[in-house]
Amino acid sequence: MKDILRISIASAFLSVGVGAGAVTSTPDVENLPVLQQETQHSVAAKRVSALFTRAHYKEISLDDALSGEIFARYLESLDHNKQVMLKSDIEEFKEYKDDFDDALSRGNLSIAYDMYNKSAQRRIERFEYALSLLEEPFDFEKENDKFYYDREEAEWPETKAELNELWRQRVKYDALNLVLADKTWEEAKELLEKRYNRAIKRLKQAQSEDVFQTVMNSFARSIEAHTSYLSPRNADRFQMEMNLSFEGIGAVLQSEEDYTVIKSIVPGGPADKSDALKPEDKIVGVAQDDEEFVDVIGWRLDEVVELIKGPKGSTVRLQVQKGATETKSMSVVSLTRDKIKLEDRAAKSEVYVPDTGPHAGEKLGVITIPSFYNNLHADVKKELDALKKQDVKGVIVDLRGNGGGSLTEATLLTGLFIEKGPVVQIRYGEGKVSVNRDTDGLVSYDGPLTVLVDRYSASASEIFAAAMQDYNRALIIGEQTFGKGTVQQHRGLGRIYDLYDNPLGSVQFTIAKFYRIDGGSTQHKGVVPDILYPSAIDPAEWGESQEDTALPWDSINRANYTTFGDGKNALDVLTAKHNKRIMQDPEFAYIYEDIDEYNENKDRKYISLVKSERIAEKEEAQEKELARTNERLKRLGKAPIEKMEDLPEDIEEVDPFLDEAANITYDLIETGKYAITQN
């Protein structure tokens, strides 16, 4: 998984769209531009088709079967929640189902533009209906009123009345969120009118490149999950990100429906240092310094990014809807923009010393690695040397949230813990297998080692963890990892002799697969820890395996290598101690409660539109958080608080997963089973 400093690669203009419906012509519909393919798009389509069929790892045939998949994916991108178009529109589109292969080969994508133009018309009609619903206040205490937000398995509506009901729910949901954020009805109405009118305006400002990017990504993703087309603007951004130095807030943003969502935080950047932004937070408003907030719900992702980024030292304020659920509160976060540099994302170490318990005063080293950046291994070696000088008894390598990066660095990092040998196998499309090896004959650390991973650990993280596991060099702890075992190449579509007014963009496509040294692929399966932590996410429902076009798991021959020590023989004892400990740990009791709550609600596809119910849910969540905090304070011998705002600043954030990793590492040390001598 490429782990570069992403401001974001906008998936398409479609994030703005939400609904569908009316059939009467309106001034806005009449003024909607009819988009057509531009000259350069014909050449770009043919070049992409030729490149994918010739150079992709997966063997590709441009035929009716693939055409049907592209058609379905493109249709989903136009109306992913089935609330934009009528069933009759879909029936009309079906005549194009078998034509996308020929359209791509010939470079004539007029059918995709026809489909887009119809969907844009329907979308404007829906937003106009949404505006009409704001003429009278909603009854927020209407019993059993719900917004069904997940319609992936639903059918397209057959009538305008069905569409209207879907949009009544949607608009009421939008309005209730604002009312719960302490807006009056008039204030909420004004904000929603601006939001929906802005959406109409964006539709009128859509460009041919937006449509082309969407259909080409429908083509790319129908081939394989990590294959994509980048528009010229996004290709430029990709190159900027590869320089690993730019100015901003240090957050990875992504569009989800109408929202700009924080997908991850760049360690060391302003967002990270503020400790006020977390993954899954939704940015709903942006303000420069002390200016008024601009409501950005429904905005194009690239336009939100333009508002957020700015010169070093300037201030941006973000209005943020906290967390993945809609019942959580709104907050305002003020950030001073800064230059995001590679050094801010460097590996860091700390000495872990428990104050109490059977291992009080015994030192462990914890090395946190946010990504596999260039020269990572040298930084980790420095941290290891520093930890050894402090006489740590063992080391934990923390790879939680590490999405990967440099394959070379994964090999070099592994080499710090083994004398020499293979680290990862790579198979290319023609079947050729190469092996990346550590060859220096040097070991930087030969003591007890554990590696902490989670479901966000991917790609290069999985290569390192898998090598440590296969060599029996370290104990792997945590959640089953993401399962991305593929290699991508980035290539521009332009040629020296091109004379087009507009550039052609670029593609990223899969050229190889990773394999563990034991021969198994990390694709789909990832790395299964030796000691598994409790998790709300079933591995079968998460990660690479959920991508319907992801390459399959398979295996190749085992590489020639020798394992270390006999630590696996102690695994049953270590697991038993771990299980006994977490069953008595109050923090893990909270985790189990949260898992039960998640499993109870995960299949619910609606949210209440009753104000009192939503307020009760919010208050219940706040009460639970306060109760847990006071229980923690009591265990620390500190006085309870009446509200979360009163929490003392010197209280450190609880990390039960790291604490338990330390306990397991102490147990591992006591076994004396892990040694550097090879069997």
Side-chain angles (χ1 to χ4, degrees):
M1 182 177 291
K2 301 284 184 183
D3 193 298
I4 53 181
L5 300 181
R6 298 180 189 273
I7 290 294
S8 171
I9 294 178
S11 58
F13 67 100
L14 298 160
S15 310
V16 173
V18 206
V23 287
T24 56
S25 180
T26 66
D28 280 317
V29 170
E30 291 171 357
N31 294 331
L32 186 67
V34 176
L35 298 183
Q36 297 179 333
Q37 177 177 305
E38 294 177 353
T39 305
Q40 76 277 6
H41 292 150
S42 177
V43 174
K46 288 187 281 189
R47 288 181 186 173
V48 171
S49 301
L51 182 60
F52 287 172
T53 53
R54 182 181 69 250
H56 202 282
Y57 180 87
K58 181 178 178 180
E59 189 172 336
I60 299 161
S61 296
L62 265 179
D63 53 20
D64 285 353
L66 181 58
S67 177
E69 293 178 25
I70 298 168
F71 169 80
R73 195 171 294 273
Y74 183 55
L75 191 57
E76 181 182 10
S77 70
L78 295 177
D79 188 6
H80 79 282
N81 219 23
K82 296 174 183 172
Q83 54 183 9
V84 172
M85 290 178 281
L86 291 165
K87 186 176 182 179
S88 57
D89 296 324
I90 308 307
E91 293 300 319
E92 289 179 14
F93 290 158
K94 284 183 179 178
E95 66 176 285
Y96 301 138
K97 182 179 178 181
D98 296 333
D99 296 338
F100 275 83
D101 53 336
D102 295 329
L104 288 162
S105 298
R106 295 170 184 169
N108 182 354
L109 294 169
S110 59
I111 56 174
Y113 283 81
D114 289 345
M115 291 175 66
Y116 165 76
N117 288 325
K118 173 58 75 71
S119 73
Q121 173 187 335
R122 291 288 186 241
R123 191 172 290 114
I124 278 190
E125 291 167 352
R126 285 294 92 202
F127 281 123
E128 289 177 333
Y129 178 70
L131 287 167
S132 74
L133 291 173
L134 299 175
E135 294 175 3
E136 297 293 335
F138 287 103
D139 176 7
F140 291 119
E141 292 302 326
K142 180 182 176 183
E143 291 185 6
N144 298 318
D145 205 5
K146 300 178 178 69
F147 168 46
Y148 289 85
Y149 55 83
D150 184 352
R151 288 180 40 78
E152 185 177 353
E153 303 299 326
E155 296 294 329
W156 269 278
E158 294 189 11
T159 66
K160 178 182 174 182
E162 290 179 59
L163 275 176
N164 286 350
E165 171 56 18
L166 294 176
W167 273 76
R168 183 199 66 81
Q169 296 174 15
R170 171 59 190 261
V171 176
K172 185 175 181 180
Y173 165 78
D174 288 345
L176 179 54
N177 282 342
L178 292 171
V179 169
L180 290 172
D182 297 325
K183 301 291 183 185
T184 65
W185 167 252
E186 289 303 320
E187 290 172 332
K189 176 183 177 181
E190 181 181 359
L191 280 171
L192 291 180
E193 285 176 340
K194 288 180 179 179
R195 185 184 303 175
Y196 300 151
N197 278 312
R198 187 182 300 118
I200 292 172
K201 180 181 178 182
R202 299 290 177 238
L203 284 165
K204 293 179 180 180
Q205 293 175 341
Q207 301 170 355
S208 177
E209 182 62 43
D210 295 326
V211 184
F212 185 73
Q213 177 174 260
T214 305
V215 68
M216 293 309 292
N217 270 318
S218 297
F219 172 34
R221 295 301 169 88
S222 294
I223 294 170
E224 192 266 336
H226 298 285
T227 298
S228 60
Y229 165 80
L230 284 76
S231 69
R233 175 186 287 186
N234 288 331
D236 289 344
R237 185 174 293 133
F238 180 88
Q239 294 301 328
M240 177 190 72
E241 290 162 352
M242 290 301 289
N243 292 330
L244 298 178
S245 178
F246 54 87
E247 295 172 358
I249 65 169
V252 180
L253 307 180
Q254 179 175 312
S255 281
E256 292 184 5
E257 297 185 4
D258 275 354
Y259 291 96
T260 298
V261 180
I262 295 175
K263 298 311 294 180
S264 62
I265 302 294
V266 177
D272 182 40
K273 292 175 181 177
S274 76
D275 200 34
L277 294 175
K278 303 294 181 184
E280 304 304 327
D281 287 351
K282 297 175 180 178
I283 298 173
V284 298
V286 180
Q288 310 301 326
D289 295 313
D290 296 326
E291 296 177 9
E292 292 292 319
F293 276 100
V294 176
D295 182 72
V296 296
I297 295 179
W299 279 41
R300 291 171 55 125
L301 181 59
D302 51 6
E303 294 179 346
V304 178
V305 169
E306 288 298 318
L307 276 184
I308 293 175
K309 72 179 185 180
K312 177 180 177 179
S314 61
T315 301
V316 63
R317 290 185 298 132
L318 307 178
Q319 199 171 42
V320 177
Q321 187 171 301
K322 299 297 292 180
T325 63
E326 303 297 343
T327 58
K328 295 190 178 180
S329 60
M330 200 85 74
S331 66
V332 173
V333 179
S334 181
L335 299 171
T336 300
R337 300 178 178 103
D338 199 358
K339 183 173 285 293
I340 310 299
K341 299 183 291 292
L342 182 62
E343 293 77 37
D344 296 324
R345 310 174 70 241
K348 295 178 176 62
S349 70
E350 62 176 329
V351 176
Y352 182 100
V353 188
D355 296 325
T356 59
H359 302 289
E362 297 181 16
K363 297 178 182 178
L364 293 178
V366 179
I367 300 179
T368 303
I369 302 177
S371 69
F372 282 74
Y373 56 88
N374 292 333
N375 215 38
L376 165 69
H377 71 289
D379 288 348
V380 172
K381 185 179 185 306
K382 290 176 185 176
E383 301 301 330
L384 286 169
D385 291 342
L387 291 171
K388 286 190 291 185
K389 288 179 181 178
Q390 299 184 67
D391 296 321
V392 298
K393 292 190 171 185
V395 169
I396 302 169
V397 175
D398 189 347
L399 295 178
R400 287 177 295 173
N402 186 321
S406 169
L407 173 62
T408 300
E409 288 297 333
T411 303
L412 292 170
L413 180 67
T414 302
L416 298 178
F417 304 99
I418 65 172
E419 186 175 332
K420 60 183 177 179
V423 174
V424 62
Q425 304 187 85
I426 306 167
R427 184 172 72 180
Y428 296 90
E430 63 274 15
K432 176 186 175 183
V433 176
S434 66
V435 181
N436 285 13
R437 300 175 177 273
D438 172 56
T439 59
D440 62 10
L442 301 174
V443 177
S444 295
Y445 174 73
D446 62 1
L449 181 67
T450 54
V451 179
L452 181 57
V453 295
D454 66 8
R455 62 185 181 272
Y456 298 102
S457 305
S459 199
S461 292
E462 294 172 299
I463 290 169
F464 172 74
M468 293 294 95
Q469 190 176 56
D470 289 343
Y471 274 113
N472 197 22
R473 176 64 187 90
L475 198 68
I476 313 301
I477 303 167
E479 296 174 293
Q480 186 168 334
T481 61
F482 188 85
K484 181 184 180 294
T486 57
V487 188
Q488 281 72 47
Q489 181 180 90
H490 181 268
R491 188 179 297 182
L493 297 173
R495 304 287 184 269
I496 257 180
Y497 49 79
D498 286 343
L499 297 175
Y500 303 106
D501 292 336
N502 297 311
L504 274 63
S506 64
V507 290
Q508 186 165 287
F509 62 103
T510 298
I511 60 169
K513 287 179 73 173
F514 294 130
Y515 293 84
R516 303 170 66 133
I517 54 176
D518 74 355
S521 172
T522 56
Q523 181 72 355
H524 287 323
K525 293 185 178 181
V527 177
V528 179
D530 300 304
I531 295 181
L532 273 166
Y533 279 167
S535 175
I537 305 298
D538 183 341
E541 299 176 351
W542 167 260
E544 185 81 359
S545 63
Q546 292 306 291
E547 297 285 351
D548 58 6
T549 56
L551 296 179
W553 181 92
D554 61 356
S555 62
I556 59 175
N557 293 331
R558 182 186 189 273
N560 184 19
Y561 67 98
T562 305
T563 59
F564 290 81
D566 58 354
K568 294 295 183 185
N569 295 333
L571 185 57
D572 288 345
V573 174
L574 296 175
T575 302
K577 288 184 175 181
H578 158 73
N579 288 334
K580 180 180 179 180
R581 197 161 41 235
I582 66 172
M583 294 309 294
Q584 299 170 346
D585 187 338
E587 294 297 336
F588 275 87
Y590 299 151
I591 291 168
Y592 279 113
E593 287 176 11
D594 292 341
I595 290 173
D596 289 341
E597 182 179 347
Y598 169 82
N599 287 328
E600 183 180 343
N601 296 313
K602 69 177 183 177
D603 295 326
R604 193 177 76 173
K605 298 184 178 182
Y606 64 84
I607 189 167
S608 173
L609 293 176
V610 181
K611 181 181 177 182
S612 57
E613 292 178 4
R614 293 279 293 278
I615 290 174
E617 290 174 5
K618 180 179 178 180
E619 290 176 346
E620 182 182 359
Q622 291 173 335
E623 288 171 5
K624 182 168 71 173
E625 182 183 19
L626 181 61
R628 289 182 177 181
T629 299
N630 280 326
E631 289 170 5
R632 291 187 183 110
L633 290 171
K634 183 178 181 180
R635 291 194 291 272
L636 292 170
K638 295 184 179 293
I641 57 176
E642 294 185 2
K643 54 183 184 297
M644 289 303 298
E645 290 79 2
D646 298 332
L647 185 67
E649 293 184 2
D650 61 344
I651 300 297
E652 294 184 4
E653 186 174 349
V654 176
D655 189 350
F657 294 129
L658 178 60
D659 292 338
E660 179 56 19
N663 288 327
I664 294 170
T665 306
Y666 289 125
D667 291 342
L668 176 64
I669 293 167
E670 290 176 354
T671 68
K673 295 294 184 180
Y674 268 70
I676 196 64
T677 55
Q678 291 183 307
N679 291 331

